[in-house]
Amino acid sequence: MTAAAHSVQAHAASPALPPFLAADVGGTHVRVARVQAGPDPAHPVQLLEYRKFRNADYPGLSAILADFLADSPRPAHCVVATAGYARDDGTVITANVPWPLSARQIEREVGLDQVYIVNDFEAVAYAAAQVDASGVLQLTGPATAPRGPTLVVGPGTGLGAAVWIPTPHGAVVLATEAGQPTLATTTELEMAIVRQMLRDRSHVSVEQALSGPGLMNLYRALCAINGQVPTLGSPDAITAAAMADQDAQARQALDVFCGLLGSTIGDMALQYGVTGGVYLAGGILPQIREFLLNSSFVERYLNKGPMREALERIPVKVVEHGQLGVIGAASWYLGRQDA
C-alpha cells in the first residue's frame, strides 16, 4: 500500500496548493474536514478542522457543508467520498444515502468553484496506507506481503469495497459495487436464513447480510426460524447483546455475520487477484473486534479448497480510523492535481 502515499508526495512538499474541503458521506453520518497537503510524506494529508454530522439532522449535504463553513471563507474546491456509483454528470447512484447528491447543485448552493465526487471505498483505498500500526488489528496471514493488488472492504450502512492496484505508472484504484451481487451461503443455517429473507424480496444481496441493516436482517430471520419474537431494534443493540451473551438470537446472528463475512472476503480476494493484503475498514467491525477474533471468520475465509494456500499468504487486518474517508478523499484529490 505504500504507493498510495507516493501519489501525493509532490503536493505534500508544496505550500502553493490552497486548503480545500473533504467530506465522507455515509448512510448515517457525514464527516467533513478542511484539509491541505502536509509536509510529512508518510502522512501527506493535514487536517486543519474536522467535524462529524448526523444525516437525519439536515435536509442535504449542502446544508451540512454550509454549517461546517459557517461564516469562514469558502475554499475553491471540495471532494466528496460517498457510497454509490458516481456518474460523469456529477450525480450519484446510491441505495444508502438519504438524499440525492449532485456536485453541480452543491457548487451553486454552497458557493464552491468545483465539487468532485468519488466512491467512498475508492477513497478509503487511497488512505489505508496512512494508518499507523497502532490502528490495525491482525486477523490472519503474515505481517507483511509483497506489493500487489490490495482489497479494502467494510460493512457499515451498506458494504463497500475497492481494490488498490500498483502499476509501473503509479497506483490505480478499482471502485466496485461488491455489496450488490447475490449472497453466497455455505451452511444449512445460512441457506435457511436466505430462504426466510426471500419471502419478502426477490434478491438477497451481499450487503443485505453484511452491513448494519444486514445484521438486523440476519437477526430477524433467525427469530422467525426459531419461533422467537424480535426484541432488539438496532444493529448496536444486537452487537451489545451478542457480546454480553444476553440474547441467543443476537449471538447467533453475529456468529453467522462473522462466518459469512469471512467466506465473502475470501471470495473477493480470489476474484480480484489480491496478493498485497486485505484491509477491513470502518463500519461496525471495530465494535466487535474481540468477537470477530474468536469467530469462524478466519476458518471461513481460508475454506476455499486448494486456494487455501494462496489465501494464507495474504495479511488480513482490521483498520480502525474514523477519519479514513476524508483522508482518502483528500488523497484522491491531491493525486488528481498531480496527474
Side-chain angles (χ1 to χ4, degrees):
M1 298 288 287
T2 54
H6 175 74
S7 66
V8 299
Q9 283 183 14
H11 292 291
S14 172
L17 197 67
F20 58 97
L21 290 185
D24 176 32
V25 180
T28 306
H29 295 98
V30 171
R31 296 166 174 86
V32 185
R34 190 188 299 271
V35 299
Q36 67 181 16
D40 180 3
H43 299 87
V45 175
Q46 182 178 359
L47 271 64
L48 305 176
E49 183 184 357
Y50 174 83
R51 288 175 62 189
K52 179 178 174 181
F53 301 85
R54 275 173 34 91
N55 294 2
D57 296 337
Y58 294 86
L61 180 58
S62 294
I64 291 175
L65 295 178
D67 187 343
F68 178 84
L69 289 167
D71 297 325
S72 61
R74 264 40 177 179
H77 292 175
C78 173
V79 56
V80 176
T82 184
Y85 176 79
R87 298 186 182 98
D88 291 339
D89 65 359
T91 60
V92 179
I93 302 171
T94 179
N96 297 313
V97 176
W99 4 257
L101 289 175
S102 164
R104 307 292 83 81
Q105 182 179 354
I106 295 168
E107 289 164 2
R108 291 192 301 270
E109 293 176 348
V110 184
L112 303 168
D113 292 349
Q114 183 77 51
V115 172
Y116 303 88
I117 295 182
V118 60
N119 175 270
D120 59 342
F121 268 82
E122 181 179 358
V124 168
Y126 283 108
Q130 301 176 42
V131 178
D132 294 329
S134 61
V136 171
L137 170 67
Q138 181 97 18
L139 293 176
T140 187
T144 61
R147 188 169 178 265
T150 300
L151 175 67
V152 180
V153 60
T157 305
L159 183 130
V163 186
W164 182 91
I165 306 168
T167 78
H169 307 290
V172 297
V173 171
L174 172 67
T176 81
E177 286 298 331
Q180 302 309 315
T182 303
L183 178 71
T185 59
T186 298
T187 70
E188 290 293 335
L189 178 60
E190 290 168 359
M191 295 175 194
I193 289 171
V194 169
R195 285 194 294 270
Q196 179 65 36
M197 292 171 67
L198 283 170
R199 293 187 176 190
D200 57 9
R201 70 201 79 196
S202 61
H203 170 236
V204 177
S205 68
V206 169
E207 74 174 18
Q208 285 174 336
L210 297 178
S211 63
L215 181 59
M216 285 293 307
N217 292 337
L218 295 176
Y219 168 73
R220 289 171 179 154
L222 282 165
C223 286
I225 291 168
N226 295 327
Q228 302 294 318
V229 177
T231 59
L232 302 172
S234 71
D236 286 344
I238 294 170
T239 56
M243 290 187 292
D245 205 10
Q246 294 175 340
D247 186 292
Q249 315 307 317
R251 187 170 186 87
Q252 192 173 33
L254 199 56
D255 276 330
V256 170
F257 178 94
C258 292
L260 282 171
L261 183 65
S263 185
T264 300
I265 296 299
D267 288 344
M268 290 182 187
L270 295 174
Q271 288 163 347
Y272 295 123
V274 171
T275 57
V278 175
Y279 286 78
L280 306 180
I284 69 172
L285 299 182
Q287 304 171 39
I288 63 168
R289 52 183 293 156
E290 293 303 319
F291 195 101
L292 186 65
L293 274 171
N294 294 293
S295 74
S296 63
F297 173 91
V298 173
E299 174 190 347
R300 292 285 297 275
Y301 165 77
L302 294 173
N303 185 25
K304 302 299 176 187
M307 290 294 102
R308 179 187 182 97
E309 182 180 349
L311 292 175
E312 287 176 335
R313 299 173 184 168
I314 303 172
V316 181
K317 304 174 182 181
V318 176
V319 178
E320 298 190 48
H321 197 312
Q323 298 171 353
L324 267 181
V326 294
I327 291 173
S331 298
W332 177 90
Y333 170 85
L334 291 170
R336 281 181 64 94
Q337 308 314 300
D338 198 34

